[in-house]
Amino acid sequence: MSRTCEGRIVIITGAGGGLGAAHARVLASEGAKVVVNDINEPAAQAVVDEITAAGGEAVVNTSDITNYDDSLNAVKQAIDTFGDLHAVVNNAGINRDRMFASMTESDWDAIMAVHLKGHFCISSHAVHYWRGLSKEGRAVDARIINTSSGAGLQGSVGQSNYAAAKAGIAALTLTQAAELGRYGITVNGLVPVARTGMTTAVEAMAQRMAKPEDGSFDYFAPENVSSLVAWLVSPLSAHVTGRLFEAEGGKVAIADGWRSTEPVDKGERWDPAELTDAVAQLLAREVPAQKVFGS
């Protein structure tokens, strides 16, 4: 039976554990050659060892995704080791949760560096490579898969830094898709719910997401999300770009983004006091947004 990612060469960031490690294992089992990127070299090596023991192909890369120059080495390693690059899966992330009134500058900067800048660096170098191939007249069938979050789509109490970064990643995904299609690059986003070190840091969440002991379907297993990642990496998804996919258990959905509503149009400048009634009209006919997580 053919595998969906046969021969595809993929960089996965933050692949030493959690979702990234699951993505690496599943993609390798589907025939991909994987660059396992993580600053924790022993963790990345353990994932590579697991993949190679199962007959797959993978290598460790420890490039710092927040450092633009160093992140180039991940792209170079993929090309030097496997001869090409077909996809970047931006997965790496951290938490620095605090209520906004208690948040420090370092809390904010750390999240923006790993999540938002981290989504830029390796992708930028990969795009330069693919654009060069396209300009040479070579066929390109490339993928960028970004990782957003429900926190970024609807907000999350105690995570204003994380939510802002993930919202930025959602907007980045839409913009990249609009700009990069001309080079043969599709860009989609992932909104995952799964059992990882980040999601189970709170005891209540760890209990809720625990693996069932009775052998029934493991709803929160990260591999459930990785199946969608494998499809997005594969040639089967070449017609899909600019979407944010939600994945949880056996469920897959498309997140529907911001849309303009029917305006109230005076046809001339509003007096500020008049806007009370105008806004009341707008609010009366809106479709309410989903609630902010934790509210």
Side-chain angles (χ1 to χ4, degrees), residues 223-291:
E223 290 79 10
N224 298 333
V225 176
S226 303
S227 293
L228 175 59
V229 175
W231 183 82
L232 288 169
V233 165
S234 80
L236 298 172
S237 68
H239 62 294
V240 179
T241 194
R243 300 289 187 271
L244 266 75
F245 288 91
E246 297 174 296
E248 175 181 344
K251 298 187 294 187
V252 177
I254 292 177
D256 194 8
W258 292 99
R259 296 179 183 274
S260 296
T261 60
E262 182 184 351
V264 176
D265 186 359
K266 182 181 177 181
E268 59 184 345
R269 180 182 173 187
W270 290 91
D271 181 277
E274 295 176 314
L275 285 166
T276 298
D277 289 338
V279 172
Q281 291 181 55
L282 293 173
L283 294 174
R285 64 187 186 219
E286 74 164 340
V287 177
Q290 290 178 242
K291 288 186 66 177

Side-chain angles (χ1 to χ4, degrees), residues 19-92:
L19 272 171
H23 297 343
R25 290 191 295 265
V26 170
L27 265 68
S29 73
E30 289 292 319
K33 301 175 183 180
V34 183
V35 176
V36 177
N37 165 266
D38 204 293
I39 57 173
N40 184 333
E41 185 171 3
Q45 186 64 57
V47 175
V48 168
D49 291 345
E50 185 177 355
I51 289 171
T52 55
E57 295 185 62
V59 293
V60 171
N61 173 268
T62 58
S63 294
D64 179 356
I65 62 165
T66 71
N67 182 296
Y68 190 75
D69 292 337
D70 190 24
S71 64
L72 174 59
N73 292 318
V75 174
K76 286 182 175 179
Q77 184 175 358
I79 298 166
D80 292 344
T81 304
F82 298 123
D84 205 347
L85 177 65
H86 300 111
V88 172
V89 180
N90 289 306
N91 164 80

Side-chain angles (χ1 to χ4, degrees), residues 195 199-211:
R195 183 177 58 248
T199 58
T200 58
V202 178
E203 184 177 353
M205 288 296 291
Q207 293 176 355
R208 174 173 173 256
M209 290 185 161
K211 184 176 181 178

Side-chain angles (χ1 to χ4, degrees), residues 74-241:
V75 174
K76 286 182 175 179
Q77 184 175 358
I79 298 166
D80 292 344
T81 304
F82 298 123
D84 205 347
L85 177 65
H86 300 111
V88 172
V89 180
N90 289 306
N91 164 80
I94 60 171
N95 277 344
R96 294 291 186 272
D97 294 353
R98 289 180 186 270
M99 300 298 280
F100 186 78
S102 301
M103 187 162 295
T104 67
E105 183 180 15
S106 63
D107 294 328
W108 184 271
D109 288 348
I111 291 293
M112 294 302 157
V114 174
H115 289 275
L116 202 49
K117 186 178 180 183
H119 270 61
F120 166 72
C121 290
I122 289 178
S123 295
S124 174
H125 296 300
V127 166
H128 294 164
Y129 171 68
W130 293 324
R131 182 179 61 179
L133 295 180
S134 178
K135 289 185 174 181
E136 291 172 3
R138 295 173 59 181
V140 176
D141 184 27
R143 307 282 184 269
I144 296 174
I145 299 167
N146 296 327
T147 304
S148 185
S149 166
L153 302 184
Q154 62 199 71
S156 180
V157 171
Q159 292 188 305
S160 58
N161 50 357
Y162 180 80
K166 290 302 192 182
I169 289 167
L172 173 65
T173 300
L174 302 180
T175 305
Q176 286 176 320
E179 293 182 358
L180 300 178
R182 72 190 72 178
Y183 306 120
I185 306 165
T186 68
V187 188
N188 291 287
L190 189 67
V191 183
V193 177
R195 183 177 58 248
T196 70
M198 287 174 61
T199 58
T200 58
V202 178
E203 184 177 353
M205 288 296 291
Q207 293 176 355
R208 174 173 173 256
M209 290 185 161
K211 184 176 181 178
E213 297 179 358
D214 60 3
S216 60
F217 175 53
D218 188 359
Y219 185 88
F220 291 107
E223 290 79 10
N224 298 333
V225 176
S226 303
S227 293
L228 175 59
V229 175
W231 183 82
L232 288 169
V233 165
S234 80
L236 298 172
S237 68
H239 62 294
V240 179
T241 194

